[in-house]
Amino acid sequence: TRLLFGGLMIGIIVYLIPPLFGEGYETINSVLKGNIDTVVEYNIFHTQSHNILLVIAFLVGLVAFKVIAMSLTFGAGGIGGVFAPTLFTGSISGYVFAVIINYSHLFSHQLSPTNFAMVGMAGLMAGVLQAPLTAIFLIAEITGGYELFVPLMLVAALSFIITRHFVPHSIYTSELAEKGALVTHDKDKHVIMMMDFNKLIETNFKEIKPNQYLGNMLKKAVAKSSRNIFPVVNDEGEFLGVVLLDDIRDIMFSKKLYKKLRVREFMHAAPDIIDYERDNGYTVMEKFKKSNAWNLPVVKDGKYYGFISKSKMLTAYRNKLVEVSL
């Protein structure tokens, strides 16, 4: 269904606006050569190139529908591309900007739309790929526009700085960064990400129920455990909270409370929870740092799975640091 819908929508868009077909290199070449007639007139609307307002509207729509077509392609399971659409939208955006400035007569002299098309490609590439040097030299090389080297440098640098401020990672590395699998030049962070925190999970904790009486808890959990923390779970195994030995130290010898107090009355929420599927070594360390806890529960598929201790994680970190330093 998704494939059929995506294919149908893309087919309609390409039929109405033929310049969107394919990678768009023919359109880019036409824009760089200043031959805008072949771009704006080759469609069912037969837009006249002498009507500047219609040309501007058509080119703006071309950029917008290029983004839509690319999104539909990705959504349908195809490959919408990154490099070619970036050049396509960058060249047309730069061209439109120059045409608008010329039409508004803000300056006494006319701007060159083709030069702005080249600068637009460099700017968008520097922002999307976060590779300003690649953008500068590539656009200068493929267009032969070395006389625009300074404008290319300025636009690419500004684009990179602004984009990097709001989006720390490029389109190629953002998904890896979200998963915590991106190798960085930060040695500490790199070592933490290399750690397999799955091996740090401890499961030798006695589980207790929220309706369990204090006396029953002492007999079946505290007396048989060497740990001072007890996870509270329901009958489905879902994690509800924790009970520390310090929480019951003042009442654990009051026998009159053994059949009066239930676990739910003195249990409390964990400082933070580690998600087995989503968290990684770096995010786990961040949670320890923010919560200031020494033990954090691990939840897998919404159910209690075990605990990770800060001391064990720091020991593993030191061992891994020694390993990568050899």
Side-chain angles (χ1 to χ4, degrees):
T1 304
R2 184 179 66 175
L3 181 62
L4 291 175
F5 177 77
L8 178 63
M9 294 302 297
I10 293 171
I12 294 174
I13 292 175
V14 170
Y15 173 75
L16 296 175
I17 314 175
L20 294 178
F21 179 75
E23 296 173 325
Y25 288 122
E26 291 184 3
T27 300
I28 295 172
N29 287 330
S30 297
V31 170
L32 294 179
K33 293 177 182 178
N35 189 13
I36 201 65
D37 296 352
T38 59
V39 178
V40 300
E41 294 180 0
Y42 185 46
N43 59 80
I44 65 170
F45 305 108
H46 301 294
T47 307
Q48 299 299 313
S49 59
H50 59 80
N51 190 324
I52 300 299
L53 292 178
L54 286 179
V55 169
I56 292 173
F58 179 79
L59 292 178
V60 170
L62 199 61
V63 172
F65 278 100
K66 182 65 174 180
V67 175
I68 294 173
M70 185 174 64
S71 301
L72 287 171
T73 303
F74 277 119
I79 300 176
V82 174
F83 184 75
T86 299
L87 296 181
F88 183 93
T89 54
S91 62
I92 294 179
S93 298
Y95 189 95
V96 169
F97 178 81
V99 170
I100 292 175
I101 296 298
N102 289 338
Y103 182 76
S104 61
H105 301 292
L106 291 177
F107 303 104
S108 58
H109 59 279
Q110 294 286 294
L111 303 180
S112 170
T114 56
N115 287 347
F116 271 80
M118 287 187 281
V119 172
M121 286 194 294
L124 201 60
M125 184 184 297
V128 173
L129 306 184
Q130 294 198 6
L133 292 179
T134 300
I136 294 169
F137 288 103
L138 183 63
I139 299 304
E141 180 65 30
I142 65 177
T143 62
Y146 284 98
E147 66 275 6
L148 295 175
F149 212 76
V150 173
L152 289 174
M153 291 173 61
L154 290 174
V155 172
L158 285 173
S159 176
F160 173 73
I161 292 171
I162 294 172
T163 305
R164 194 60 176 263
H165 177 73
F166 294 100
V167 185
H169 304 283
S170 73
I171 193 171
Y172 293 117
T173 60
S174 58
E175 188 173 351
L176 288 173
E178 290 176 2
K179 295 179 180 179
L182 181 63
V183 176
T184 70
H185 296 291
D186 186 334
K187 188 173 183 179
D188 288 335
K189 187 175 180 179
H190 177 49
V191 171
I192 292 173
M193 289 192 300
M194 290 176 63
M195 293 168 54
D196 183 6
F197 84 92
N198 185 49
K199 296 180 180 179
L200 305 177
I201 299 175
E202 301 175 80
T203 57
N204 60 334
F205 291 84
K206 293 293 183 180
E207 301 175 15
I208 55 178
K209 306 294 183 181
N211 291 325
Q212 201 169 350
Y213 282 110
L214 172 62
N216 187 266
M217 172 194 165
L218 293 173
K219 180 180 179 181
K220 294 187 175 181
V222 177
K224 297 180 180 180
S225 176
S226 59
R227 314 304 294 259
N228 63 350
I229 185 170
F230 304 91
V232 183
V233 299
N234 59 19
D235 294 334
E236 288 74 35
E238 297 174 340
F239 179 78
L240 302 178
V242 295
V243 173
L244 302 178
L245 199 58
D246 288 342
D247 297 330
I248 59 173
R249 196 178 301 277
D250 295 336
I251 59 174
M252 62 188 298
F253 297 110
S254 300
K255 293 185 178 181
K256 60 181 180 180
L257 299 176
Y258 282 8
K259 292 187 178 181
K260 289 184 178 181
L261 281 180
R262 294 181 184 269
V263 170
R264 64 170 179 266
E265 298 178 53
F266 48 80
M267 62 177 279
H268 56 84
D272 209 332
I273 296 177
I274 298 171
D275 191 305
Y276 183 86
E277 284 84 11
R278 297 181 180 179
D279 283 320
N280 53 66
Y282 181 73
T283 58
V284 170
M285 189 65 81
E286 284 295 306
K287 287 186 176 182
F288 273 117
K289 182 179 178 181
K290 292 178 181 179
S291 65
N292 201 30
W294 281 98
N295 292 280
L296 288 178
V298 181
V299 172
K300 184 178 182 181
D301 296 326
K303 298 183 178 181
Y304 166 74
Y305 189 66
F307 275 86
I308 292 181
S309 69
K310 184 191 291 186
S311 58
K312 190 170 184 178
M313 189 164 189
L314 290 175
T315 300
Y317 166 75
R318 286 194 293 268
N319 293 336
K320 179 62 71 173
L321 184 61
V322 172
E323 179 184 327
V324 299
S325 299
L326 294 177

